[in-house]
Amino acid sequence: MVEEFLGLPVDGRQSEADCRAISAWQRREKLRPAVPGYAGVKTRSHLRVVEARRDPNAGGRCPETRDRIACVDLPRQLMWVQQGRKVLLGPVPIRSGKDGRPTRTGWNRISWRNEKHVSTIYKTPMPYAQFFNGGQAFHGVRDDVYDPDGGSHGCVNLTRADAERLWKTLRVGDRVYIWGRRAGT
């Protein structure tokens, strides 16, 4: 997958040349994998972000309206903000609800925001929290959004930097559209 994307031979072996090319790409993308040069989960997952950059809504799943919409693609674990066809932010990687605690799909609106929120239920920081469906919100996390075993209790987790950028993009009343299902849930 990564080898093919980088134009390397896809032969079932990872040569030293493959490792050097993958490591260089990881550095350009500012990825910090556990093993540089190895195309592990983090690297393969980040490839979805890179492939979606040109047109995250190529599949047309997020409605194109005059409203600003935060689009959440659960199968690809990506989100972006668009207005009409113009992408205002993203796409960025996310981590959604884990098995038994899914992120609810459908239309919502940003109803409340708290830049330095701390969960009253889980007693954990939720920086740049923007609530859209009861207790579900966009917010930053300290841990790795690419962790395949991780997941939220229904919130849409972002890196702290992406959560801050989203905070500067959305306002109370902006629309949120969530579709699909996260693999394994």
Side-chain angles (χ1 to χ4, degrees):
M1 176 177 186
V2 176
E3 290 86 354
E4 183 178 358
F5 175 78
L6 294 175
L8 302 170
V10 181
D11 56 10
R13 295 185 316 245
Q14 195 162 343
S15 69
E16 281 189 42
D18 293 345
C19 290
R20 283 192 302 276
I22 292 167
S23 184
W25 181 78
Q26 289 167 331
R27 282 192 304 279
R28 283 193 305 275
E29 289 296 318
K30 297 180 175 69
L31 282 178
R32 295 177 192 215
V35 181
Y38 175 69
V41 171
K42 187 173 201 170
T43 300
R44 290 190 316 270
S45 297
H46 184 72
L47 186 57
R48 287 192 306 260
V49 176
V50 173
E51 290 177 329
R53 282 182 184 152
R54 195 167 59 189
D55 184 4
N57 199 30
R61 296 295 308 265
C62 194
E64 295 173 353
T65 70
R66 291 192 302 219
D67 295 326
R68 187 171 32 226
I69 301 173
C71 306
V72 181
D73 183 334
L74 295 177
R76 293 191 298 169
Q77 291 290 281
L78 297 175
M79 76 84 50
W80 63 92
V81 178
Q82 68 184 32
Q83 192 164 21
R85 291 182 157 219
K86 183 177 181 183
V87 176
L88 305 176
L89 177 121
V92 298
I94 63 161
R95 182 179 66 190
S96 63
K98 58 187 169 187
D99 194 25
R101 303 285 185 127
T103 302
R104 293 184 287 272
T105 58
W107 282 103
N108 295 285
R109 287 192 185 270
I110 300 295
S111 58
W112 185 66
R113 296 168 17 118
N114 185 336
E115 189 173 4
K116 296 179 181 174
H117 189 70
V118 175
S119 168
T120 56
I121 299 171
Y122 304 107
K123 311 295 186 230
T124 57
M126 296 171 60
Y128 303 104
Q130 300 187 72
F131 290 85
F132 56 80
N133 189 321
Q136 294 189 349
F138 293 111
H139 67 84
V141 292
R142 285 186 297 237
D143 34 336
D144 188 352
V145 296
Y146 290 118
D147 178 2
D149 298 321
S152 72
H153 291 98
C155 287
V156 176
N157 298 163
L158 300 103
T159 67
R160 187 177 175 94
D162 288 338
E164 183 177 6
R165 290 182 0 184
L166 185 63
W167 177 267
K168 293 174 181 176
T169 303
L170 295 179
R171 300 287 175 258
V172 169
D174 282 343
R175 300 176 84 184
V176 177
Y177 186 67
I178 304 170
W179 68 91
R181 185 173 165 205
R182 175 182 168 174
T185 62

